[in-house]
Amino acid sequence: QLTMSSNSSTLLNEENTQGAKRNTEYLESLLQTPSSFQDNPLQQLQLASQEVLEKAKKSGRSKCPRCNSSRMFYCYTCFVPVETVPTTEIPIVKLPLKIDIIKHPNETDGKSTAVHAKLLAPDDVTIYKYPCIPEYEEKRHETALIFPGPNSVSVKDIAFHLQKYTKKSACASDDDCSREPILKQAKIEPEEEKNPNACISSSRSEGTRLKKIIFIDSTWNQTNKIITDERLQGLLQIELKTRKTCFWRHQKGTPDTYLSTIEAIYYFLVDYHQEILKESYKGQYDNLLFFFSFMYTLIKDAKCCAGKE
């Protein structure tokens, strides 16, 4: 979020009430134009040192330690860094839940940012190539799909809507309620300890019952084939807040609010951390954009140099 400068505030004070409203709208529109901040909107991220990537850039392409293919920074088929990028110098991000990425078979491996998530959160991210995807029917009460649509809900409403699935799945029998399979990992607040065997607890615990989130990695034109798959039907669908993409391979003819896969994962986790875990965000997942931000700057600088020439 951008805040107005002191010069903007002074200007507003010189206007009358109606004029101030119009002026505010005008100033907000100015803030949407390129500025020192927006030249690199990713510069505020709290990232690990990218010196290892700087060195790899200077040395050029290198071999994948698994398949020996020539790659830059990482191998997008083996999901590992190349020889010039030591694994020990790559940050590892711990996520609050598991992530499944369903990749369209026609999606070009080298153009996808999904591999960034696997490289940076290897213990929590799994990539599947459609149509080879898991069955989610038995896990509907703890799984959600990121996809905009008429039935999608916002991140802050996950708790309320997941409760409906929990009632159907977790409380299907007395045995299910007594065993409490879903609440094992839910953080119990003091007031909840009075009734630890309840199937439906506070909305916060409902939200933390979410164990897995699914993302579709494909162009928007290819998405329909995957989203209509019967194995994904009946899952809670979540729509992200509107944000503008920084992806350099933005699809022609689509709004700039269509995010790349790694951006969608990052923004979802930030919202989840604040809206569901109810904790202040202090950059815990910023390193998910470790490769993305570096490549963004690299490509932006290359375009600037090309423009000057």
Side-chain angles (χ1 to χ4, degrees):
Q1 293 181 351
L2 294 173
T3 56
M4 285 192 238
S5 65
S6 58
N7 289 337
S8 300
S9 299
T10 302
L11 188 59
L12 284 177
N13 290 331
E14 296 174 355
E15 301 291 332
N16 57 33
T17 304
Q18 294 182 342
K21 182 178 180 181
R22 290 194 299 271
N23 193 52
T24 301
E25 294 171 349
Y26 172 69
L27 288 170
E28 289 176 345
S29 69
L30 287 180
L31 289 172
Q32 299 305 315
T33 59
S35 63
S36 58
F37 173 80
Q38 288 174 317
D39 281 344
N40 185 355
L42 304 174
Q43 68 181 357
Q44 301 301 311
L45 297 172
Q46 299 180 43
L47 299 173
S49 172
Q50 294 176 318
E51 185 179 354
V52 63
L53 300 182
E54 288 286 358
K55 291 179 179 179
K57 180 189 71 173
K58 293 177 181 178
S59 61
R61 297 168 74 87
S62 180
K63 284 186 179 181
C64 167
R66 293 187 183 176
C67 68
N68 290 322
S69 296
S70 177
R71 300 281 190 258
M72 192 65 158
F73 304 127
Y74 56 82
C75 179
Y76 44 75
T77 51
C78 299
F79 309 143
V80 294
V82 294
E83 292 177 345
T84 54
V85 182
T87 304
T88 53
E89 295 187 46
I90 299 299
I92 297 299
V93 185
K94 182 61 182 175
L95 308 185
L97 34 67
K98 301 298 182 181
I99 289 178
D100 281 359
I101 300 175
I102 301 175
K103 189 173 177 296
H104 193 282
N106 294 336
E107 178 72 1
T108 305
D109 290 340
K111 292 183 178 181
S112 171
T113 61
V115 63
H116 296 184
K118 182 62 179 174
L119 284 163
L120 298 163
D123 296 335
D124 299 316
V125 175
T126 305
I127 298 178
Y128 297 93
K129 182 168 285 189
Y130 187 83
C132 299
I133 65 175
E135 294 284 348
Y136 295 107
E137 177 64 29
E138 299 299 318
K139 299 290 184 179
R140 284 175 54 192
H141 57 284
E142 58 186 33
T143 306
L145 171 67
I146 298 294
F147 194 80
N151 298 318
S152 298
V153 304
S154 65
V155 173
K156 67 181 179 63
D157 291 329
I158 288 177
F160 174 75
H161 290 278
L162 202 61
Q163 184 177 16
K164 302 174 185 176
Y165 290 86
T166 305
K167 286 180 178 178
K168 295 177 182 178
S169 302
C171 297
S173 67
D174 291 335
D175 290 340
D176 285 338
C177 290
S178 61
R179 282 190 290 109
E180 232 188 352
I182 301 169
L183 281 177
K184 285 181 180 178
Q185 297 180 15
K187 184 177 179 180
I188 300 178
E189 301 295 342
E191 64 268 21
E192 295 169 9
E193 294 176 355
K194 299 176 183 178
N195 189 13
N197 294 319
C199 286
I200 306 303
S201 57
S202 73
S203 62
R204 186 186 181 283
S205 287
E206 294 294 345
T208 56
R209 289 182 179 185
L210 183 65
K211 301 291 180 62
K212 180 172 289 185
I213 199 78
I214 304 168
F215 291 84
I216 296 176
D217 184 51
S218 73
T219 64
W220 283 97
N221 292 334
Q222 298 170 337
T223 301
N224 189 59
K225 182 177 181 180
I226 296 178
I227 196 63
T228 55
D229 189 288
E230 61 180 9
R231 290 168 289 184
L232 299 181
Q233 304 310 301
L235 291 175
L236 179 64
Q237 291 188 11
I238 300 170
E239 186 166 4
L240 301 178
K241 293 178 183 177
T242 300
R243 292 180 171 99
K244 291 185 178 181
T245 183
C246 291
F247 195 32
W248 49 92
R249 291 195 181 98
H250 186 66
Q251 300 166 36
K252 293 182 179 179
T254 59
D256 59 4
T257 53
Y258 281 19
L259 305 173
S260 64
T261 301
I262 193 63
E263 287 176 301
I265 292 173
Y266 169 73
Y267 285 125
F268 166 78
L269 289 170
V270 172
D271 290 345
Y272 180 84
H273 194 84
Q274 296 172 321
E275 302 283 359
I276 301 300
L277 299 184
K278 301 296 184 184
E279 297 176 12
S280 60
Y281 183 70
K282 299 178 180 179
Q284 289 91 333
Y285 314 118
D286 282 9
N287 274 321
L288 285 175
L289 299 178
F290 181 76
F291 289 105
F292 185 89
S293 62
F294 185 82
M295 295 168 75
Y296 170 87
T297 302
L298 196 66
I299 292 170
K300 178 179 174 295
D301 290 346
K303 288 181 177 179
C304 287
C305 290
K308 290 178 182 179
E309 295 176 359

